């Protein structure tokens, strides 16, 4: 048997209503897919952003705050390591490099971060244009920073998002005052898919000097980077260490867990965040599933009402010789087309929405979200389809069991 | 595909149909014996509610009465289970309704081919040709036109073509001319009665139409579910 001809006619008769049903399923499915895909992308993106930060050493406090400041350039109130601890950390011999991080300044919404050349090379995997800074008044721009090589800028103390206002207005966001220092862009990092793409990186010495701190070197020295003079190193919010091996990493972590310092792998700080994100995702997924379930129930109620209008039509088909199963198949086919078609379209729409949201998020935060539509999303859609098809049995069974004589007799 | 094998007579014997309405049982049909000869057309007449349609549905095997038999070639159709009755009806009965009962979204040709989708997945070329030929014969050349756009007369002729698709030996018609004007009705009458005589079909029509009654070979009256001119012949 082939009920498609009759099923198609039934759908055409109520094309507008079936289109609304289909759209409801598309939207409900898309919401579920987008939530699932986005949460996974956020985890992947944030984890990848932390890839280059092997071991963080900071003053005792919140690992989360230190991670947000160092990796995601969202500095909050991160205490400074003591100068003595900072000097010892920067002189740590069991690492490939130990890079100080100095925050607090910005330029037109881009954080200005002080560090050493070795860390820039490590983070970016080389430069895409220009050269590394060699002087204190030179800077390397992140891949997404609007400044061109050769341009100069004046960093301001404080951080303000999207501050395009050059009139020194201390109004809406943070208090900004220029240091009166001019820095020149000499190079540009490769894209890292992290907030560092929006950052301007300058020598740590420049940060220290601008803030009237010791520069890490003797006054007669003009070089940049390690080794630093132990008694000339001021406190820093964090030091990024690159251990030589995994074993060294664990050893160093233990070594730098002292009463005055904390050491951790970024994953240690991110894991609890991911747990919370996972819980939120689960909650939102349940809401999305509940929405989908309600949509299916509402649609089935609507279809049952429509099918009641077609009772006589089905009775006539039986009179013409159609078996009961044919009537069942007609009804089931109509519902299946809406559910399967809507779910597939919803999968596409959800993927598209997640893609757009990822791009917007990356523009805003600098964190690239690697979007994947994978087993989780397909399972979500498949589960919805199975539920919908199972639910479709009910109205199909109602039509199957209804004696044709009732409708033929006008009952 | 004109000309069928000589068909056996159709017998309705000792058949009682009861319905329950608001908890009360009432008799809708009580037939001692009704015989329809092959190649003959039989008009069922009577006032509304007399049981004409119920009798047609009983003959078609659409409902199972409390007792009785519908014999076709010595076989009691009512003793078959539902799937077999559906199959028998599909292969042996063509049904024509008062309001045509076409699917307005489908074309005339598609409507005629609907019964071909009941038992097979694909419609073969022979069946398609048969459908086109029937539409040509009944004067519905606009095969690609949606049935909802056809005139009432054309729609009933499409319904006739649908009923004849598998060359059924029995044609049941429930007020086939009630929704038609005189001209359109006469076309349907000719189609029904000519086929009965020329092709040896058994045609039974429930009708109030005097022109249709006049053109049929025999007529039987029904009143309160009973035959007014009930035959006293014993079944053989």
């Amino acid at each position: 048997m082939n009920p498609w001809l009759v099923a198609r006619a039934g759908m055409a008769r109520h094309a507008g209503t079936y289109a609304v049903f289909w759209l409801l399923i598309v939207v409900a499915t898309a919401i579920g897919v987008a939530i699932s895909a986005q949460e996974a992308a956020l985890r992947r993106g944030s984890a990848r952003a932390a890839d280059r930060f092997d071991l963080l050493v900071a003053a005792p406090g919140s690992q989360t705050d230190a991670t947000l400041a160092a990796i995601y350039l969202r500095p909050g109130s991160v205490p400074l390591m003591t100068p003595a601890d900072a000097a010892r950390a920067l002189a740590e011999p069991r690492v490939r490099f130990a890079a100080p991080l100095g925050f607090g300044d910005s330029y037109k919404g881009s954080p200005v971060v002080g560090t050493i050349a070795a860390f820039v090379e490590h983070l970016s995997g080389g430069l895409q244009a220009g050269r590394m800074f060699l002087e204190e008044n030179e800077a390397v721009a992140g891949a997404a920073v609007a400044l061109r090589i050769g341009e100069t800028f004046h960093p301001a103390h404080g951080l303000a998002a999207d501050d395009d206002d050059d009139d020194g207005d201390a109004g809406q966001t943070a208090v900004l005052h220029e240091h009166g220092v001019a820095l020149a862009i000499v190079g540009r990092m490769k894209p890292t898919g992290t907030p560092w793409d929006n950052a301007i990186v300058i020598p740590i010495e420049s940060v220290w000097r601008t803030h009237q701190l010791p520069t890490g070197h003797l006054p007669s020295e003009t070089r940049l980077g390690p080794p630093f003079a132990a008694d000339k190193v001021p406190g820093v919010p964090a030091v990024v260490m690159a251990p030589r091996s995994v074993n060294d990493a664990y050893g160093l972590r233990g070594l730098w867990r002292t009463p005055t310092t904390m050491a951790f792998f970024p994953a240690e700080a991110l894991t609890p965040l991911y747990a919370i994100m996972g819980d939120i995702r689960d909650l939102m997924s349940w809401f999305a599933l509940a929405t989908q379930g309600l949509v299916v129930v509402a649609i089935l109620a609507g279809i049952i009402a429509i099918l009641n209008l077609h009772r006589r039509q089905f009775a006539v088909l039986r009179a013409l010789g159609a078996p009961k199963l044919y009537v069942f198949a007609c009804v089931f086919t109509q519902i299946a087309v809406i559910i399967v078609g809507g779910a597939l379209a919803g999968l596409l729409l959800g993927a598209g929405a997640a893609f757009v949201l990822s791009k917007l998020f990356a523009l805003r935060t600098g964190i690239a979200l690697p979007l994947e539509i994978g087993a989780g999303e397909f399972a979500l859609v498949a589960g919805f389809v199975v539920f919908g098809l199972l639910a479709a049995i009910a109205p199909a069974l109602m039509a199957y069991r209804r004696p044709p004589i009732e409708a033929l007799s006008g009952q | 595909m004109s000309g069928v094998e000589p068909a056996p007579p159709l017998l309705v014997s000792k058949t009682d149909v009861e319905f329950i309405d608001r908890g009360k049982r009432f008799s809708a049909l009580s037939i001692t014996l009704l015989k329809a000869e092959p190649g003959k057309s039989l008009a069922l007449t009577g006032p509304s509610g007399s049981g004409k349609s119920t009798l047609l549905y009983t003959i078609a095997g659409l409902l199972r009465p409390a007792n009785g038999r519908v014999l076709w070639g010595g076989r009691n159709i009512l003793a078959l289970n539902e799937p077999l009755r559906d199959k028998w009806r599909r292969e042996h009965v063509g049904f024509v309704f008062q309001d045509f009962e076409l699917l307005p979204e489908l074309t005339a040709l598609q409507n005629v081919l609907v019964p071909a989708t009941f038992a097979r997945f694909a419609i073969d070329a022979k069946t398609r040709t048969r459908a086109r030929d029937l539409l040509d014969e009944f004067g519905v050349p606009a095969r690609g036109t949606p049935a909802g756009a056809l005139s009432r007369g054309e729609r009933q002729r499409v319904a006739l073509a649908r009923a004849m698709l598998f060359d059924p030996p029995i044609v049941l018609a429930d007020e086939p001319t009630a929704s038609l004007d005189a001209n359109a009705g006469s076309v349907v009458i000719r189609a029904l009665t000519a086929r009965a005589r020329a092709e040896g079909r058994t045609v039974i029509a429930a009708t109030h139409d005097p022109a249709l009654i006049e053109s049929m070979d025999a007529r039987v009256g029904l009143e309160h579910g009973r035959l007014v001119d009930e035959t006293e012949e014993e079944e053989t």
Side-chain angles (χ1 to χ4, degrees):
Chain A
M1 70 177 69
N2 186 348
W4 176 239
L5 196 59
V6 175
R8 199 181 83 196
M11 295 173 71
R13 191 171 310 170
H14 303 281
T17 306
Y18 278 96
V20 169
F21 291 161
W22 178 81
L23 266 172
L24 284 173
I25 292 179
V26 169
V27 171
T29 307
I31 289 172
V33 167
I35 288 172
S36 173
Q38 205 62 65
E39 186 272 344
L42 195 57
R43 262 189 296 113
R44 277 194 294 271
S46 57
R48 281 189 200 176
D51 263 352
R52 297 285 178 168
F53 296 75
D54 297 335
L55 182 69
L56 284 174
V57 178
S62 165
Q63 290 183 358
T64 305
D65 286 348
T67 301
L68 289 173
I71 298 175
Y72 303 108
L73 301 179
R74 297 274 173 177
S77 58
V78 180
L80 298 179
M81 294 167 68
T82 65
D85 285 330
R88 280 196 308 112
L90 293 178
E92 174 57 59
R94 287 158 283 215
V95 296
R96 289 181 286 114
F97 65 80
L101 298 179
F103 316 110
D105 293 344
S106 67
Y107 175 72
K108 291 194 175 181
S110 292
V112 176
V113 186
T115 188
I116 61 175
F119 180 66
V120 178
E121 292 282 355
H122 171 74
L123 184 65
S124 174
L127 300 180
Q128 65 167 294
R131 60 171 174 82
M132 187 57 64
F133 46 69
L134 299 174
E135 310 277 348
E136 281 186 21
N137 63 347
E138 294 181 342
V140 170
V145 173
L147 290 166
R148 294 187 305 274
I149 291 176
E151 274 194 85
T152 59
F153 67 99
H154 300 268
H157 187 73
L159 293 157
D162 303 320
D163 180 30
D164 292 329
D165 191 359
D166 277 333
D167 64 7
D169 199 346
Q172 301 87 8
T173 52
V175 174
L176 293 172
H177 60 264
E178 288 191 8
H179 286 293
V181 174
L183 298 169
I185 302 294
V186 297
R188 181 179 301 283
M189 293 196 289
K190 291 178 185 173
T192 63
T194 73
W196 285 76
D197 288 341
N198 290 326
I200 303 170
V201 188
I202 65 176
I204 188 65
E205 293 85 350
S206 181
V207 172
W208 288 334
R209 189 185 298 282
T210 302
H211 292 88
Q212 279 105 48
L213 296 167
T215 62
H217 303 288
L218 295 172
S220 58
E221 290 181 294
T222 57
R223 65 181 178 83
L224 300 177
F228 296 101
D231 60 342
K232 302 293 183 192
V233 173
V236 292
V239 172
V240 181
M241 291 189 180
R244 298 184 198 280
S245 69
V246 173
N247 282 343
D248 284 347
Y250 280 93
L252 284 165
R253 187 184 68 163
L255 202 66
W256 284 94
R257 285 186 171 177
T258 72
T260 56
T261 59
M262 67 174 179
F264 59 94
F265 305 124
E268 294 178 63
L270 291 175
T271 299
L273 286 175
Y274 292 159
I276 294 171
M277 279 169 60
D279 290 343
I280 294 172
R281 186 224 35 219
D282 287 346
L283 190 64
M284 293 181 75
S285 293
W286 279 113
F287 276 125
L289 274 172
T291 304
Q292 288 173 330
L294 284 172
V295 162
V296 168
V297 169
I299 286 170
L300 287 179
I303 287 179
I304 287 172
I306 287 175
L307 290 175
N308 265 336
L309 301 174
H310 294 186
R311 288 172 56 206
R312 184 165 172 87
Q313 174 192 300
F314 292 129
V316 165
L317 291 175
R318 293 295 314 284
L320 293 174
K324 290 166 74 169
L325 196 59
Y326 183 89
V327 173
F328 178 97
C330 281
V331 174
F332 189 83
T333 298
Q334 290 184 39
I335 302 173
V337 164
I338 295 172
I339 286 177
V340 174
L344 289 176
L347 176 65
L348 289 174
L349 180 65
F355 176 79
V356 169
L357 286 171
S358 292
K359 289 297 176 194
L360 290 174
F361 185 85
L363 271 173
R364 191 167 172 79
T365 66
I367 301 176
L369 298 187
L371 189 69
E372 287 174 17
I373 300 297
E377 290 70 44
F378 285 123
L380 185 75
V381 173
F384 172 70
V385 169
V386 168
F387 170 72
L389 292 180
L390 285 174
I393 291 175
L397 210 53
M398 286 171 62
Y400 173 91
R401 296 179 66 178
R402 186 172 285 139
I405 198 64
E406 288 176 6
L408 288 173
S409 303
Q411 293 174 21
Chain B
M1 269 184 75
S2 61
V4 298
E5 292 181 8
L10 180 69
L11 287 169
V12 180
S13 162
K14 296 192 179 76
T15 300
D16 297 298
V17 175
E18 291 179 347
F19 290 130
I20 296 176
D21 185 23
R22 296 188 197 107
K24 286 188 179 175
R25 192 181 291 271
F26 70 95
S27 172
L29 200 66
S30 184
I31 305 292
T32 304
L33 182 66
L34 174 68
K35 188 174 180 180
E37 297 288 348
K40 302 282 186 191
S41 53
L42 175 67
L44 300 178
T45 63
S48 294
S50 59
K52 301 190 297 298
S53 298
T54 306
L55 180 53
L56 289 179
Y57 300 147
T58 304
I59 292 170
L62 276 166
L63 57 80
R64 235 178 179 174
N67 49 45
R69 297 190 293 174
V70 171
L71 295 170
W72 171 258
R75 194 181 184 197
N76 181 10
I77 305 308
L78 299 181
L80 300 175
N81 62 27
E82 192 167 16
L84 287 175
R85 276 186 282 133
D86 291 338
K87 185 172 185 289
W88 177 83
R89 187 165 58 253
R90 188 162 60 243
E91 294 170 354
H92 292 85
V93 178
F95 227 116
V96 182
F97 298 90
Q98 174 179 340
D99 289 323
F100 331 127
E101 305 294 352
L102 301 178
L103 297 171
E105 300 79 19
L106 299 182
T107 64
L109 181 61
Q110 287 170 334
N111 268 285
V112 174
L113 288 171
V114 162
T117 66
F118 293 163
R120 292 183 190 169
F121 187 78
I123 302 173
D124 58 47
K126 189 176 164 188
T127 304
R128 288 185 188 276
T129 302
R130 165 90 176 147
R132 289 192 197 99
D133 291 344
L134 282 168
L135 285 172
D136 285 341
E137 183 183 334
F138 287 125
V140 188
R143 299 196 288 263
T145 306
L150 299 173
S151 69
R152 298 182 75 82
E154 285 174 322
R155 276 184 262 166
Q156 191 61 302
R157 297 203 293 278
V158 172
L160 263 174
R162 181 180 64 186
M164 303 295 186
L165 182 66
F166 290 122
D167 219 5
I170 303 169
V171 177
L172 304 176
D174 195 356
E175 302 286 359
T177 59
S179 299
L180 305 176
D181 59 34
N183 284 338
S186 65
V187 174
V188 171
I189 291 168
R190 275 200 303 278
L192 283 173
T193 54
R195 280 188 175 265
R197 290 175 198 130
E199 297 169 0
R201 296 183 203 278
T202 304
V203 176
I204 304 175
T207 182
H208 290 109
D209 184 353
L212 179 56
I213 295 169
E214 182 76 28
S215 66
M216 304 289 259
D217 296 319
R219 91 180 244 193
V220 168
L222 275 165
E223 216 168 285
H224 301 302
R226 293 174 183 276
L227 293 173
V228 172
D229 305 320
E230 202 162 339
T231 175
E232 298 297 326
E233 291 175 32
E234 294 292 326
E235 65 180 274
T236 56

